Amino acid sequence: MYRSHNCGELNVSHINTEVTLAGWVQKSRDKGFMNWVDLRDRYGVTQLIFDESRSQKEVFELAKTLGREFVIQAKGTVIEREAKNATMATGDIEILVTELKILNAALTPPFTIEDETDGGEDIRMKYRYLDIRRNPVKNNLLFRHKVAMEVRKYLSDLDFCEIETPYLIKSTPEGARDFVVPSRMNEGQFYALPQSPQTFKQLLMVGGMDKYFQIVKCFRDEDLRADRQPEFTQIDCEMAFVEQEDILNIFEGLTRHLLKEIKGIEVEKFPRITYDYAMKTYGNDKPDIRFGMEFGELNEFTQNKEFSVFNTAELVVGIAVPGAGEYSRKEIDALIEWIKRPQIGASGMVYAKCNEDGTFKSSVDKFYDQEDIANWAKTTGAKPGDMIFVLSGPADKTRTQLSALRMELANRLGLRNPAEFAPLWVVDFPLLEFEEETGRYHAMHHPFTSPKPEDMHLLETNPKAVRANAYDMVLNGNEIGGGSIRIHDKTTQQLMFKYLGFTPEQAEDQFGFLMNAFQYGAPPHGGLAFGLDRLVSILGGQETIRDFIAFPKNNSGRDVMIDAPSIIDELQLNELHIKLDLV
Amino acid sequence: MYRSHNCGELNVSHINTEVTLAGWVQKSRDKGFMNWVDLRDRYGVTQLIFDESRSQKEVFELAKTLGREFVIQAKGTVIEREAKNATMATGDIEILVTELKILNAALTPPFTIEDETDGGEDIRMKYRYLDIRRNPVKNNLLFRHKVAMEVRKYLSDLDFCEIETPYLIKSTPEGARDFVVPSRMNEGQFYALPQSPQTFKQLLMVGGMDKYFQIVKCFRDEDLRADRQPEFTQIDCEMAFVEQEDILNIFEGLTRHLLKEIKGIEVEKFPRITYDYAMKTYGNDKPDIRFGMEFGELNEFTQNKEFSVFNTAELVVGIAVPGAGEYSRKEIDALIEWIKRPQIGASGMVYAKCNEDGTFKSSVDKFYDQEDIANWAKTTGAKPGDMIFVLSGPADKTRTQLSALRMELANRLGLRNPAEFAPLWVVDFPLLEFEEETGRYHAMHHPFTSPKPEDMHLLETNPKAVRANAYDMVLNGNEIGGGSIRIHDKTTQQLMFKYLGFTPEQAEDQFGFLMNAFQYGAPPHGGLAFGLDRLVSILGGQETIRDFIAFPKNNSGRDVMIDAPSIIDELQLNELHIKLDLV
């Protein structure tokens, strides 16, 4: 036993107790005749005291040699502190040390092991094991564990069974890119790492394993955007004999449970909005509804006037920004520049200030009178002191641009309170999405998603109008989960592959096992998956998922701590029956 | 809602209730005017009744069309059964069906979906989703979930934190073979899939995340023996500031908890035996101690006689087999043939029958008198009616051979009762093992295992004698877990790599990140890992781990259901900067 107690648990009730602690030297203050050391472990910090008059000489001298992050073991007596520290759990006591042992010395860490560190992202990633000693990172990992445990308990209590699906599966050319694994035993052949356990969970439903879940790593070899990881974790769920309503209820229940248990927050029944409503109202299928700024469509108040930009636009749409009526001309110009950046791509922006006296001052006063703008204000919900911003152009593009502006302004105005949680369901997603590049439709969710039966007849004539039994759970502007009712008969699944441009041979080759399974008594089924990394980071009130992953990869998919990926030797390549093919 | 109840919960308290059930047709019995259908789901089986006189004509007729494994929904009234079935949870009631809907038809399954199926292993693996419908497989998966949940709860309650370590890591040439993953973004470079999270869990200890665990997939690309899988699951654990004793206590506690919660069995404190004792007494470092048959070393009673085979042998060793005194000459000859098979490789076997009257009859009566054999009997613990079998030869080899015989006879004699659980610890493993093939030592556990401090001085002079702070948990003849106290300082770790034949450059290249981490304040630490697949199969009282894996691979590492691994297309290879290099 290296310790009798941890560094977070001692208090006045332990005074005069003999204790042994072990941990890291957080800091040491040497006053000559007196020396204090803050000793840290996972559980907290406890102050050690070495006193020339009360400590043995060797112990006193040894204490003076301790550097930051030395690992030590200290035995001593709990005594009451003279100068109590109310900000520390153990702040009422200190340990008068009688025995001291250095368990391991430490080089000076390359950055400070403090809540606010002087280390940049790169150096912290290279020495991630030191970064993890810092409270913010440590607490995030503990928090993640707590969330995962609550998920498992909740679902287990509802009779869900966690089942491990394989990691070495079959590669399919469809969708985002697979990581592949050459097989030594099966020459010239490859496994793939799962992008999700989708087909396996459906096969479990065919297998009668009703109510499946799994917290599982998934893999996607795609170019990494700022906050994506090549390996990520899903809470993957599936149920048999269910309709969409059943799924929404169960997983709304799970999310409410998490908010209550983890955050102490009770939320109302989740609003449900359709995809179409979300796009029209927020320009976004994962709207942040913690603040208003809902879109107002202004076509009827803007067209057939002299302003040709609006006259010819498919959509004229605005938002009322609370308190932005005070924006200076300079601020507005900067905002217009911002929205014209290539990433957003608006060609310009019209604004109208709502004066306190009920009048308006717009950038298009030449074309629109006060009554016109009053209608804009009414439609966007603008109040005196607000600013109305208006964009125009092709409907889809313009909505996306206005959504970006809405989120940007909400961030600037501090309207996205991380302590507030506003979950909702977005339902009735389109089944198909037209891809300009390839000139064909692909599945918006995935090829196993069931079309709504009442829209099936539109598949041939108006594919874009076919709605799916698909749904997303959205929290504070992020999709945290999504799923669908699945196709469960071979004929519909074949039809779907046909519409997605598969030849019958391709469909059979890649998904024959699934369609075959559907012939042996497949129940109606559906499910969803949560992104655990994202869920945890939002519940934790933080922005980046990397902060909730013990050993994340950087934007090039590299683990800079262990230096992976790396080259492997010729012998290994030979055994795998591959060779390099470098450009 | 497809159902109001499941197929396992209705009983007499529900009589006259209107219910809706959904599930699979287990079987149907058509008596002309009456038709019974056993409806099955994950939770049980409920009998449906269709009666010409009480059912609507369409419903009655439709019921006659139901085939095995059809998926149906049935609405009706719970009524009391005339002929009750006490073997079924729902055997007191049946459902008089008023509405019937076929949700999905089914082809005739390729094997019967019964507890005892007519399907062989191959066909059941190809249609694993049908195999999972069978109670034995389904119950195994539910059992596995229960075990995993109990492990998580137990460890969480002790403040262990489950932390996900990465799956895309760095390849190391050491040990069993890595599966590798070519990186698209990092041309010519590869990730490896972890054989275990060993270095990461040690880095977590350096990072202060005391008390880590993870239930995690691991990967090993080695030739598959009968009951190995290329991907397998570990309960991986590590603690800081601990000695071997602490680890043994914690994980003995976990195992006792599982035996109690899962099997309702209270076990005594686990025996602890040394590796040397295990080898001398059972010829095996994972002894099954549910039955005796401990080895008796007979050198002192066999040498310096006329029997040259024993005279020249390094070791003469025997076991007493209870009740085997009755074995016929033919049976004994068969046993001698068995032990001479190349897999075992004994050159012969001596036997001595212990007669009921206290005399002995041996195959070497020519050389040994009754008094000699009486000593054999005393040393092996043989009683009248037993048979003593004696092997001789080089010590290590002979022990292994006798261990094989001991296990074979225990199996034949039914001494390995799957309902009995006899866990123990084997401790003080050798640090190093000499490998004949390469002519050098390699780490018996792994290169991070700490030598016992008191044996350190033997590293140069007598490496084989150096014991490690390493331990295995053994249950019923299987190693279910193993671990060690780790090296936690750079100097010792460097020394270890040196003894294992690494050049300093190789050590630095492969494990520099770990040795570097040790310089920044590494605490003493240690841990262990359980093989979940094996643990669950033993707790479940069964032999093969495949039966506890939802989608296992066959002995060629293939998933025959989805047909993986498989070839991938040229385009994918190009993007990964590799090409095939087939023989």
Side-chain angles (χ1 to χ4, degrees):
Chain A
M1 283 292 224
Y2 275 92
R3 56 189 170 190
S4 63
H5 294 80
N6 67 48
C7 294
E9 62 181 315
L10 296 173
N11 55 47
V12 285
S13 77
H14 298 90
I15 282 170
N16 292 327
T17 312
E18 285 289 308
V19 299
T20 308
L21 300 182
W24 287 262
V25 173
Q26 174 73 38
K27 64 179 171 206
S28 113
R29 276 157 301 147
D30 188 350
K31 294 258 178 176
F33 59 96
M34 202 86 103
N35 190 2
W36 291 270
V37 168
D38 280 356
L39 187 66
R40 185 195 67 234
D41 67 8
R42 183 187 132 185
Y43 308 93
V45 173
T46 299
Q47 182 167 293
L48 311 179
I49 179 166
F50 302 86
D51 179 345
E52 195 164 28
S53 64
R54 290 180 287 174
S55 302
Q56 275 195 288
K57 192 166 188 306
E58 312 87 77
V59 172
F60 185 73
E61 291 303 326
L62 187 59
K64 285 181 180 289
T65 69
L66 299 177
R68 276 201 287 146
E69 301 304 320
F70 273 43
V71 182
I72 62 169
Q73 185 184 38
K75 196 170 166 180
T77 312
V78 182
I79 60 174
E80 191 162 4
R81 268 210 223 180
E82 280 184 33
K84 298 202 170 47
N85 181 344
T87 66
M88 266 172 88
T90 63
D92 289 347
I93 57 96
E94 59 194 349
I95 314 297
L96 180 63
V97 178
T98 52
E99 289 175 35
L100 175 64
K101 193 171 171 188
I102 296 175
L103 299 174
N104 218 340
L107 299 179
T108 304
F111 52 87
T112 54
I113 313 292
E114 305 275 358
D115 291 5
E116 297 290 332
T117 179
D118 58 357
E121 170 104 5
D122 289 352
I123 191 104
R124 289 192 293 111
M125 287 302 152
K126 183 165 163 55
Y127 297 89
R128 183 64 164 175
Y129 45 86
L130 298 180
D131 201 26
I132 291 173
R133 288 188 198 159
R134 297 171 52 240
N135 283 320
V137 182
K138 178 194 77 179
N139 290 336
N140 284 351
L141 297 179
L142 294 171
F143 183 78
R144 182 184 179 112
H145 168 62
K146 195 173 164 195
V147 172
M149 268 310 284
E150 282 301 328
V151 168
R152 286 193 160 101
K153 280 189 204 159
Y154 187 86
L155 292 176
S156 289
D157 287 349
L158 289 178
D159 265 339
F160 279 81
C161 178
E162 183 161 17
I163 299 177
E164 296 174 54
T165 52
Y167 279 85
L168 296 172
I169 66 163
K170 187 175 177 166
S171 185
T172 59
E174 188 58 12
R177 285 179 248 208
D178 284 334
F179 283 106
V180 300
V181 181
S183 168
R184 190 168 54 84
M185 277 201 276
N186 300 274
E187 195 173 330
Q189 299 186 18
F190 294 75
Y191 302 99
L193 300 179
Q195 293 178 33
S196 93
Q198 182 63 33
T199 50
F200 289 97
K201 69 176 173 176
Q202 292 192 241
L203 291 172
L204 286 171
M205 295 307 105
V206 177
M209 288 302 309
D210 203 1
K211 292 195 175 178
Y212 142 93
F213 84 103
Q214 188 183 192
I215 299 186
V216 61
K217 273 281 175 78
C218 302
F219 303 87
R220 210 167 290 173
D221 189 6
E222 58 189 356
D223 296 317
L224 298 172
R225 280 178 267 152
D227 206 21
R228 290 263 183 124
Q229 289 282 314
E231 49 178 306
F232 54 97
T233 307
Q234 276 190 3
I235 308 168
D236 193 50
C237 307
E238 197 81 3
M239 302 173 76
F241 300 114
V242 286
E243 287 156 350
Q244 175 167 314
E245 186 66 24
D246 304 310
I247 307 238
L248 300 193
N249 286 335
I250 292 265
F251 295 100
E252 181 166 326
L254 169 63
T255 311
R256 293 158 78 95
H257 173 80
L258 291 179
L259 285 168
K260 191 166 167 213
E261 288 299 313
I262 306 274
K263 306 298 293 183
I265 289 171
E266 302 255 12
V267 290
E268 304 280 306
K269 196 162 165 42
F270 293 8
R272 294 185 190 174
I273 64 177
T274 65
Y275 173 85
D276 281 347
Y277 180 86
M279 294 311 288
K280 278 176 81 82
T281 312
Y282 303 101
N284 198 318
D285 59 4
K286 41 181 196 285
D288 188 339
I289 59 169
R290 284 175 294 183
F291 54 95
M293 291 206 239
E294 294 179 3
F295 290 9
E297 298 195 357
L298 306 177
N299 289 48
E300 64 172 303
F301 310 116
T302 54
Q303 279 164 353
N304 304 316
K305 304 271 168 170
E306 301 292 297
F307 189 49
S308 68
V309 175
F310 282 2
N311 268 342
T312 58
E314 185 188 358
L315 178 70
V316 181
V317 60
I319 50 171
V321 182
E326 298 306 310
Y327 277 15
S328 67
R329 180 60 200 253
K330 203 174 155 194
E331 282 173 299
I332 294 171
D333 284 346
L335 214 49
I336 293 173
E337 283 315 303
W338 182 87
I339 204 161
K340 284 163 86 174
R341 293 181 316 154
Q343 300 96 307
I344 317 270
S347 50
M349 182 162 70
V350 163
Y351 59 90
K353 179 179 169 183
C354 308
N355 295 320
E356 295 293 346
D357 64 1
T359 63
F360 304 97
K361 175 82 194 83
S362 87
S363 58
V364 285
D365 278 350
K366 225 195 301 187
F367 307 108
Y368 300 99
D369 59 26
Q370 290 286 312
E371 197 183 330
D372 291 327
I373 310 280
N375 278 321
W376 298 11
K378 198 173 155 200
T379 308
T380 58
K383 310 242 159 348
D386 290 359
M387 184 79 82
I388 304 168
F389 289 111
V390 184
L391 297 179
S392 64
D396 291 352
K397 215 181 223 170
T398 305
R399 287 189 177 115
T400 305
Q401 291 162 354
L402 191 60
S403 172
L405 179 70
R406 177 178 178 268
M407 294 301 274
E408 173 69 15
L409 288 170
N411 281 331
R412 292 190 191 183
L413 294 163
L415 300 175
R416 305 188 67 198
N417 175 7
E420 188 186 341
F421 294 91
L424 73 153
W425 289 105
V426 178
V427 299
D428 295 356
F429 273 77
L431 181 71
L432 303 167
E433 213 171 21
F434 189 73
E435 198 178 50
E436 302 283 351
E437 283 171 50
T438 55
R440 65 184 180 85
Y441 283 96
H442 68 89
M444 192 150 186
H445 191 50
H446 56 51
F448 315 107
T449 298
S450 174
K452 281 188 185 283
E454 62 268 34
D455 290 358
M456 278 290 278
H457 68 283
L458 296 169
L459 261 175
E460 287 279 12
T461 52
N462 188 5
K464 216 185 151 179
V466 177
R467 291 165 306 162
N469 275 323
Y471 33 81
D472 277 356
M473 191 190 288
V474 174
L475 180 58
N476 295 2
N478 296 278
E479 180 211 324
I480 57 165
S484 63
I485 298 298
R486 326 299 182 185
I487 296 166
H488 67 280
D489 69 284
K490 182 169 178 170
T491 312
T492 310
Q493 191 62 69
Q494 279 176 320
L495 207 62
M496 187 57 52
F497 283 127
K498 192 188 115 187
Y499 287 121
L500 294 172
F502 286 66
T503 66
E505 293 70 31
Q506 285 171 330
E508 184 58 32
D509 182 46
Q510 291 168 37
F511 297 107
F513 63 94
L514 184 66
M515 290 189 288
N516 199 28
F518 286 170
Q519 295 184 289
Y520 287 96
H525 62 284
L528 91 177
F530 289 91
L532 180 65
D533 307 294
R534 175 68 58 207
L535 177 65
V536 168
S537 73
I538 295 171
L539 291 178
Q542 292 178 37
E543 285 292 315
T544 55
I545 63 171
R546 263 201 304 278
D547 294 340
F548 289 83
I549 296 171
F551 300 103
K553 295 193 170 52
N554 73 9
N555 287 348
S556 312
R558 295 199 69 82
D559 182 327
V560 296
M561 180 184 69
I562 61 170
D563 192 26
S566 61
I567 54 168
I568 61 176
D569 63 30
E570 208 60 39
L571 192 69
Q572 244 174 317
L573 293 174
N574 289 345
E575 291 204 334
L576 297 168
H577 325 289
I578 57 173
K579 53 187 171 189
L580 296 184
D581 181 24
L582 306 180
V583 185
Chain B
M1 284 293 225
Y2 275 92
R3 56 189 171 190
S4 63
H5 295 77
N6 67 48
C7 294
E9 63 180 316
L10 296 172
N11 55 45
V12 287
S13 77
H14 298 90
I15 282 170
N16 292 328
T17 313
E18 286 287 309
V19 298
T20 307
L21 299 182
W24 287 263
V25 174
Q26 175 72 37
K27 63 180 173 203
S28 111
R29 276 156 301 150
D30 190 350
K31 294 257 179 180
F33 60 95
M34 202 86 101
N35 190 1
W36 291 270
V37 168
D38 279 355
L39 187 67
R40 185 194 67 235
D41 67 10
R42 183 186 134 185
Y43 308 93
V45 173
T46 298
Q47 182 166 292
L48 310 179
I49 179 167
F50 301 87
D51 178 346
E52 194 165 25
S53 65
R54 288 181 288 173
S55 302
Q56 274 195 291
K57 193 167 187 307
E58 312 87 74
V59 173
F60 185 73
E61 292 302 326
L62 187 58
K64 287 180 179 288
T65 69
L66 298 178
R68 277 200 287 145
E69 301 304 318
F70 273 44
V71 182
I72 62 170
Q73 184 184 39
K75 196 169 165 180
T77 312
V78 182
I79 59 174
E80 190 161 5
R81 268 210 222 178
E82 279 182 34
K84 296 199 169 53
N85 181 344
T87 66
M88 266 173 85
T90 62
D92 289 347
I93 57 96
E94 59 194 350
I95 314 296
L96 181 64
V97 178
T98 52
E99 288 176 37
L100 175 65
K101 193 170 169 187
I102 296 176
L103 298 174
N104 217 341
L107 298 179
T108 305
F111 52 87
T112 55
I113 313 292
E114 306 274 358
D115 291 5
E116 298 290 333
T117 179
D118 59 358
E121 170 104 5
D122 289 352
I123 191 105
R124 288 193 293 111
M125 286 303 153
K126 183 164 162 58
Y127 296 89
R128 183 65 163 175
Y129 45 88
L130 298 180
D131 201 25
I132 290 173
R133 287 187 199 161
R134 295 171 52 240
N135 283 320
V137 182
K138 178 195 76 180
N139 289 338
N140 285 351
L141 297 179
L142 294 171
F143 184 78
R144 182 184 180 112
H145 168 61
K146 197 174 163 192
V147 172
M149 267 313 283
E150 281 301 328
V151 169
R152 286 192 160 101
K153 279 188 205 160
Y154 186 85
L155 293 176
S156 290
D157 287 348
L158 288 178
D159 265 341
F160 280 81
C161 177
E162 184 161 16
I163 299 177
E164 296 173 54
T165 53
Y167 279 83
L168 296 172
I169 67 164
K170 186 174 175 166
S171 185
T172 59
E174 189 57 13
R177 285 178 248 208
D178 283 336
F179 283 106
V180 300
V181 182
S183 168
R184 188 168 54 84
M185 276 199 278
N186 300 274
E187 196 172 329
Q189 299 186 17
F190 294 76
Y191 302 100
L193 301 179
Q195 293 178 33
S196 92
Q198 183 62 35
T199 49
F200 288 97
K201 70 176 172 176
Q202 292 193 241
L203 291 172
L204 285 171
M205 294 308 104
V206 178
M209 287 302 309
D210 202 6
K211 293 195 174 180
Y212 143 94
F213 83 103
Q214 187 182 192
I215 299 186
V216 61
K217 274 281 175 77
C218 302
F219 304 85
R220 211 167 288 174
D221 189 8
E222 59 190 356
D223 297 317
L224 298 173
R225 279 179 268 154
D227 206 22
R228 289 262 183 126
Q229 289 282 315
E231 49 177 304
F232 54 98
T233 307
Q234 277 189 2
I235 307 169
D236 193 50
C237 308
E238 196 82 1
M239 301 172 76
F241 300 113
V242 286
E243 288 155 351
Q244 176 168 311
E245 187 65 24
D246 305 310
I247 307 238
L248 300 193
N249 286 334
I250 292 265
F251 294 100
E252 181 167 327
L254 169 63
T255 311
R256 294 157 77 94
H257 174 81
L258 291 179
L259 284 167
K260 189 161 169 221
E261 288 299 313
I262 307 276
K263 306 297 296 182
I265 290 172
E266 303 256 11
V267 290
E268 303 281 303
K269 194 160 165 47
F270 294 8
R272 293 185 191 175
I273 64 178
T274 65
Y275 172 86
D276 282 347
Y277 180 86
M279 295 310 288
K280 278 175 81 80
T281 312
Y282 304 100
N284 197 317
D285 61 3
K286 39 180 197 284
D288 189 340
I289 58 168
R290 283 175 297 182
F291 54 94
M293 292 207 239
E294 292 179 4
F295 289 11
E297 299 195 356
L298 307 177
N299 288 46
E300 61 172 306
F301 310 115
T302 54
Q303 279 166 353
N304 305 316
K305 305 272 168 168
E306 300 290 298
F307 190 49
S308 68
V309 175
F310 282 1
N311 270 339
T312 58
E314 184 188 0
L315 180 70
V316 181
V317 60
I319 49 171
V321 183
E326 299 304 311
Y327 277 16
S328 67
R329 180 62 201 251
K330 203 174 153 195
E331 282 173 300
I332 293 170
D333 284 346
L335 214 50
I336 293 173
E337 283 314 303
W338 182 87
I339 205 162
K340 286 163 85 175
R341 293 181 317 155
Q343 300 96 306
I344 317 270
S347 50
M349 182 163 70
V350 163
Y351 59 90
K353 180 180 168 181
C354 307
N355 296 319
E356 295 293 344
D357 63 4
T359 64
F360 302 98
K361 175 83 194 80
S362 86
S363 58
V364 285
D365 279 349
K366 227 195 300 186
F367 308 108
Y368 300 99
D369 59 25
Q370 291 287 311
E371 198 183 328
D372 291 329
I373 310 278
N375 279 320
W376 300 10
K378 198 172 154 201
T379 308
T380 60
K383 311 241 155 356
D386 290 0
M387 183 77 84
I388 304 170
F389 289 111
V390 183
L391 296 180
S392 64
D396 290 354
K397 215 181 221 171
T398 305
R399 288 189 176 114
T400 304
Q401 290 162 355
L402 191 61
S403 172
L405 179 69
R406 178 177 178 269
M407 294 300 274
E408 173 68 15
L409 287 170
N411 282 330
R412 290 191 192 181
L413 293 163
L415 300 175
R416 306 188 66 198
N417 174 8
E420 189 187 337
F421 293 90
L424 74 152
W425 289 106
V426 178
V427 299
D428 293 356
F429 273 78
L431 182 71
L432 303 167
E433 212 172 20
F434 189 73
E435 199 178 48
E436 303 283 350
E437 282 172 52
T438 54
R440 63 181 182 88
Y441 284 95
H442 68 89
M444 193 150 184
H445 190 51
H446 55 51
F448 315 108
T449 299
S450 174
K452 280 189 185 284
E454 62 269 34
D455 290 357
M456 277 290 279
H457 67 283
L458 297 169
L459 261 176
E460 288 278 12
T461 52
N462 187 7
K464 216 185 152 179
V466 178
R467 291 165 306 162
N469 274 323
Y471 33 81
D472 276 357
M473 192 189 288
V474 174
L475 181 57
N476 294 1
N478 296 279
E479 179 212 322
I480 58 165
S484 62
I485 298 297
R486 326 299 182 185
I487 296 166
H488 67 279
D489 68 284
K490 183 170 179 173
T491 313
T492 311
Q493 190 64 67
Q494 278 176 322
L495 208 61
M496 187 57 50
F497 283 126
K498 192 188 115 191
Y499 287 120
L500 295 172
F502 286 66
T503 66
E505 294 69 31
Q506 284 171 330
E508 183 58 34
D509 183 46
Q510 290 167 38
F511 297 107
F513 63 95
L514 183 65
M515 291 189 288
N516 199 29
F518 285 170
Q519 297 184 287
Y520 287 97
H525 61 285
L528 91 179
F530 289 91
L532 180 66
D533 307 294
R534 176 67 60 205
L535 176 66
V536 168
S537 73
I538 295 170
L539 290 178
Q542 291 178 39
E543 284 292 315
T544 55
I545 62 171
R546 263 203 301 281
D547 293 340
F548 289 83
I549 297 172
F551 299 103
K553 295 193 171 49
N554 72 11
N555 287 348
S556 313
R558 294 199 70 83
D559 182 327
V560 296
M561 180 184 70
I562 61 171
D563 192 26
S566 61
I567 53 168
I568 61 176
D569 64 29
E570 208 58 41
L571 191 68
Q572 245 174 316
L573 292 174
N574 289 345
E575 290 203 335
L576 297 169
H577 324 291
I578 57 174
K579 52 188 171 187
L580 297 184
D581 181 23
L582 305 182
V583 185

